[in-house]
């Protein structure tokens, strides 16, 4: 059903993957028919996650689930148990995932903008509603994006627009402001040249061309 809805290019789907409830019943013969209906077949029974436990089982199940969805762009946002749930160890346990699916890059990029500030830490796409100090931040840094762009693009002599760069790297946990910041740094360093088609002076907009020079 989800794949039928997503056959339209401009369609988006936001679904709730109830991992905690599913995990409790994966090996229960009485409810396995319901899980079969989720996937539309029984191949899930022979997957690696059926022989695993803990986070490995969860991650492999989520990966398998996402692969069954015939959408080009898939983002998941982890929701852990909050204090109100009163679940032992809940701050480290997944209650469910919000999964956003689409076939258009702009939909995925906009959803990242929405989800970026909502986690326990910005950019982690992971939420529990628990208030606690952070010793080591997991929020992705501009330096990480800068390093990635240097490795993939610098010396490629490639020319891409600002939007094309974001679309090509949509899977990275960064949003528009981070790309602007990093590109300004690379421009100041003489690593890239920006032809401002839509913006003026030091701005960077959708159609501006980024030239990664050799």
């Amino acid at each position: 059903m989800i794949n039928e809805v997503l056959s339209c290019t401009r369609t988006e789907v936001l679904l709730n993957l109830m991992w905690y409830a599913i995990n409790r019943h994966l090996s229960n013969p009485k409810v396995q028919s319901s899980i079969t209906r989720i996937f539309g077949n029984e191949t899930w029974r022979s997957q690696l996650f059926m022989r695993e436990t803990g986070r490995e089982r969860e991650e492999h199940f989520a990966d398998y689930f996402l692969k069954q969805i015939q959408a080009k762009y898939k983002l998941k946002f982890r929701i852990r148990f909050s204090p109100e749930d009163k679940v032992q160890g809940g701050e480290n346990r997944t209650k469910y995932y919000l999964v956003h699916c689409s076939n258009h890059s702009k939909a995925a990029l906009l959803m990242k903008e929405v989800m970026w500030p909502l986690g326990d830490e910005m950019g982690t796409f992971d939420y529990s509603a628990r208030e606690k100090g952070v010793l080591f931040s997991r929020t992705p840094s501009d330096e990480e994006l800068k390093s990635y762009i240097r490795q993939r693009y610098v010396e490629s002599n490639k020319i891409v627009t600002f939007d094309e760069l974001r679309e090509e790297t949509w899977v990275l946990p960064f949003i528009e402001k981070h790309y602007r910041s990093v590109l300004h740094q690379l421009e100041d360093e003489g690593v890239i040249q920006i032809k401002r088609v839509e913006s003026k002076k030091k701005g960077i907009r959708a159609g501006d061309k980024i030239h990664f020079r050799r």
Side-chain angles (χ1 to χ4, degrees):
M1 180 61 180
I2 294 173
N3 289 330
E4 290 177 7
V5 173
L6 284 165
S7 61
C8 176
T9 304
R10 295 183 178 275
T11 299
E12 298 176 65
V13 172
L14 186 63
L15 59 89
N16 191 329
L17 177 60
M18 299 298 295
W19 166 248
Y20 180 73
I22 291 172
N23 186 42
R24 290 177 59 193
H25 300 293
L26 270 178
S27 301
N28 184 350
K30 294 182 179 179
V31 296
Q32 287 184 338
S33 59
S34 297
I35 298 173
T36 296
R37 284 197 296 274
I38 292 176
F39 292 114
N41 57 63
E42 296 194 355
T43 57
W44 64 271
R45 295 176 183 270
S46 60
Q47 299 304 308
L48 181 62
F49 58 75
M50 291 299 292
R51 303 186 295 278
E52 296 177 321
T53 58
R55 283 290 290 168
E56 280 191 341
R57 183 183 221 194
E58 177 181 335
E59 291 172 2
H60 289 155
F61 180 89
D63 289 345
Y64 178 76
F65 179 84
L66 292 178
K67 285 179 182 177
Q68 307 313 301
I69 300 175
Q70 296 170 14
K72 186 173 182 180
Y73 303 97
K74 292 166 279 192
L75 294 168
K76 70 177 188 291
F77 190 87
R78 183 188 182 202
I79 307 294
R80 286 173 284 153
F81 286 97
S82 67
E84 291 76 14
D85 291 314
K86 297 180 179 179
V87 173
Q88 186 175 6
E91 68 273 14
N92 296 315
R93 299 175 67 181
T94 303
K95 188 175 184 179
Y96 62 91
Y97 288 96
L98 287 176
V99 181
H100 178 262
C101 311
S102 69
N103 285 317
H104 200 290
S105 59
K106 291 190 182 301
L109 294 176
L110 284 172
M111 185 53 65
K112 280 207 301 182
E113 296 280 342
V114 171
M115 289 183 168
W116 169 269
L118 300 181
D120 286 1
E121 294 179 65
M122 291 191 295
T124 59
F125 306 100
D126 191 338
Y127 179 74
S128 72
R130 294 176 184 271
E131 296 183 7
K132 58 183 179 180
V134 177
L135 185 59
F136 300 106
S137 175
R138 294 183 299 143
T139 298
S141 68
D142 282 7
E143 243 352 272
E144 293 175 80
L145 176 59
K146 187 176 179 180
S147 176
Y148 181 89
I149 289 177
R150 275 185 173 278
Q151 291 178 22
R152 177 168 175 177
Y153 290 96
V154 173
E155 297 189 3
S156 67
N157 204 34
K158 187 174 184 178
I159 299 176
V160 294
T161 67
F162 180 59
D163 270 5
E164 286 171 344
L165 175 64
R166 293 171 58 224
E167 290 167 7
E168 287 181 8
T169 58
W170 73 273
V171 74
L172 300 178
F174 298 98
I175 55 178
E176 192 168 343
K177 67 178 183 179
H178 303 121
Y179 285 88
R180 282 201 175 91
S181 174
V182 165
L183 290 175
H184 277 136
Q185 293 175 44
L186 293 175
E187 183 181 31
D188 291 341
E189 294 169 9
V191 175
I192 64 171
Q193 193 171 38
I194 301 176
K195 182 178 181 181
R196 289 176 166 83
V197 178
E198 296 184 11
S199 61
K200 298 178 181 179
K201 296 182 179 179
K202 293 288 286 185
I204 305 177
R205 299 185 65 181
D208 290 347
K209 296 182 179 180
I210 319 298
H211 184 186
F212 295 92
R213 297 182 296 180
R214 288 177 179 167

